[in-house]
Amino acid sequence: MSDSVAGCTRPRTAVTEAEAEALVRGICFKTGPPRRLGVEVEWLVHELRNPRLPVTSRRLEAAYSALRTVPLSSALTVEPGGQLELSSPPATSLMECVATVSADLDAVRAVLRERGLTLVGLGHDPWHAPRRFLRRPRYDAMEACLDRTGPAGRAMMCTSASVQVCVDAGYEEPGPLGHVRRWWLAHHLGAVLVASFANSPLAGGLPTGWRSTRQLRWTQIGAARAGGPPLDTDPRGTWARHVLDAPVMCVRRDGGPWDVPDGLTFRRWTRSRTPRAPTGDDLDYHLTTLFPPVRPRGHLELRMIDAQPGDDGWIVPLAVTAALFDDPEATETAYRCVKPLAERTLDLPAPHNPLWRDAARHGLADRELRDAAVVCFTAALAALPRLGATADVTAAVSAYLDRYVLRGRCPADDLLDRPDGASRGPHRRDFRP
């Protein structure tokens, strides 16, 4: 959601269909030893004293103006509904990434606290309806495009938040750290991560029937915009075809509102060259308008994890994911553990398959997902010291394993157990994809 491009100011040199496919193949997977790690943490911004009260646009703008003066190592961006996102620089170790983002979050929280605001780690706002804070051509076009598939797009834009973990694509060669294996693992382990960290069971103050309503929203947006490609042994080729066959969200203009074509794929755009010929810059922009659960951007961006409760809750999914992708022993364990889950996908791309839907709806109440999560978390715990994790980080992962995973629970269950109207009851809604 933070992928914004200011405008179309580059020279407009037309790109052909073959050139577009070659460009995507060349930039989507940068292979080599897994050495770098990153995290993007999104937060809802609520009133410090009463989070059920809406925050006015004037107060948000004042707070964000103050934040723009704060020196940060991470990139700070504002989402369409006023959510805040911190995107870490690439780190060479787990603890470097944790230290950088933790320091930046401390600085951000201090500024917000002075203004009576706070960061809240929830995957979906439990009380407030979608409301646009940013008015920019990109988001105007995005809203118009996503409205064609229903209200889920506005909810995703304005009331959702996540923890996105970025890992290297892996080696060119086969093996546990090879890019083909890591691509496959991301799409199957992803369901385990959805279930383990589901933290968005409410909307409009009522249970939705889903542990991860945020993941439900992505499913409702549709496979063309928010789905992955089929999985095979050529990730570059399948992703390139997926990109070219995905509908264009908008055709940008230097002035005035942007065009929002209906059903125009990028492939068809290269052939028709109307309303104008697409350029390499348009292709770059098109890539930022696709929201699969795993997005290849040279590295792999894992986008399926709900924002987590507490100031430091984001560290646990970061540490677990880093261990399962970058430690060869843990990676092999995770691969063998989730391999049987592949049957439940029915060979349908994520997240539009039964495995991912069950993960979002049931969390770790799904026995097979719980068993897989226990194995994966245990493997991650063993790997963390090898990755240089501190005792505090290892203890946080261990505590999460004990509190949630071993008990078949996730943070969403805590919210549903509350006696303040968030418990299961006769007013429960059942939102279907």
Side-chain angles (χ1 to χ4, degrees), residues 93-360:
S93 71
L94 170 63
M95 293 315 303
E96 178 188 338
C97 189
V98 169
T100 297
V101 177
S102 294
D104 288 341
L105 283 171
D106 286 345
V108 169
R109 287 194 179 96
V111 171
L112 294 179
R113 193 179 304 115
E114 291 176 356
R115 288 155 180 81
L117 302 174
T118 187
L119 298 178
V120 176
L122 289 167
H124 188 281
D125 196 306
W127 303 296
H128 305 125
R131 182 192 62 173
R132 284 272 302 282
F133 170 70
L134 294 182
R135 294 291 171 182
R136 296 177 181 171
R138 172 181 172 88
Y139 298 128
D140 291 343
M142 182 181 294
E143 185 177 277
C145 176
L146 297 180
D147 277 351
R148 291 172 179 153
T149 57
R154 294 194 184 201
M156 177 274 294
M157 291 174 65
C158 301
T159 60
S160 70
S162 67
V163 176
Q164 299 176 17
V165 181
C166 300
V167 297
D168 280 339
Y171 289 99
E172 191 69 27
E173 299 81 9
L177 299 183
H179 77 285
V180 175
R181 172 79 69 87
R182 286 163 77 85
W183 178 244
W184 186 95
L185 179 62
H187 285 86
H188 293 84
L189 179 61
V192 178
L193 297 176
V194 169
S196 300
F197 296 108
N199 186 36
S200 53
L202 306 173
L206 296 173
T208 64
W210 295 72
R211 298 306 201 282
S212 178
T213 303
R214 173 183 166 272
Q215 188 60 52
L216 168 65
R217 300 298 185 225
W218 283 114
T219 304
Q220 290 171 327
I221 287 171
R225 182 69 53 199
L231 298 181
D232 62 19
T233 56
D234 179 24
R236 289 189 180 92
T238 55
W239 176 247
R241 289 190 292 274
H242 180 77
V243 168
L244 265 65
D245 290 331
V248 173
M249 177 174 284
C250 56
V251 177
R252 295 169 295 156
R253 297 174 178 269
D254 289 323
W258 296 353
D259 293 334
V260 184
D262 190 1
L264 176 67
T265 67
F266 200 90
R267 188 185 305 279
R268 192 175 302 133
W269 192 11
T270 63
R271 295 173 179 177
S272 69
R273 299 186 169 231
T274 56
R276 60 171 174 79
T279 68
D281 190 43
D282 289 318
L283 177 62
D284 292 342
Y285 195 87
H286 176 60
L287 287 166
T288 75
T289 68
L290 303 180
F291 308 109
V294 183
R295 186 161 64 174
R297 306 183 66 189
H299 55 272
L300 302 183
E301 182 183 82
L302 280 65
R303 304 170 51 84
M304 72 288 297
I305 301 169
D306 280 357
Q308 294 297 289
D311 289 354
D312 299 324
W314 58 274
I315 295 175
V316 174
L318 170 64
V320 169
T321 305
L324 295 178
F325 274 87
D326 291 347
D327 179 85
E329 184 177 335
T331 297
E332 186 64 25
T333 299
Y335 173 73
R336 292 177 180 177
C337 173
V338 303
K339 197 170 183 179
L341 296 176
E343 294 182 5
R344 290 175 59 178
T345 68
L346 305 181
D347 291 328
L348 298 173
H352 299 84
N353 64 52
L355 176 65
W356 278 69
R357 284 197 294 271
D358 289 344

Side-chain angles (χ1 to χ4, degrees), residues 44-55 116-120 122 125-128 418 420:
L44 304 177
V45 179
H46 284 172
E47 290 283 355
L48 181 60
R49 299 188 185 278
N50 188 348
R52 293 177 184 252
L53 293 177
V55 182
L117 302 174
T118 187
L119 298 178
V120 176
L122 289 167
D125 196 306
W127 303 296
H128 305 125
R418 288 181 178 177
D420 59 356

Side-chain angles (χ1 to χ4, degrees), residues 55-76:
V55 182
T56 66
S57 296
R58 180 176 297 180
R59 292 189 65 211
L60 283 177
E61 184 53 53
Y64 297 162
S65 294
L67 283 173
R68 294 185 190 103
T69 68
V70 177
L72 301 172
S73 297
S74 304
L76 187 146

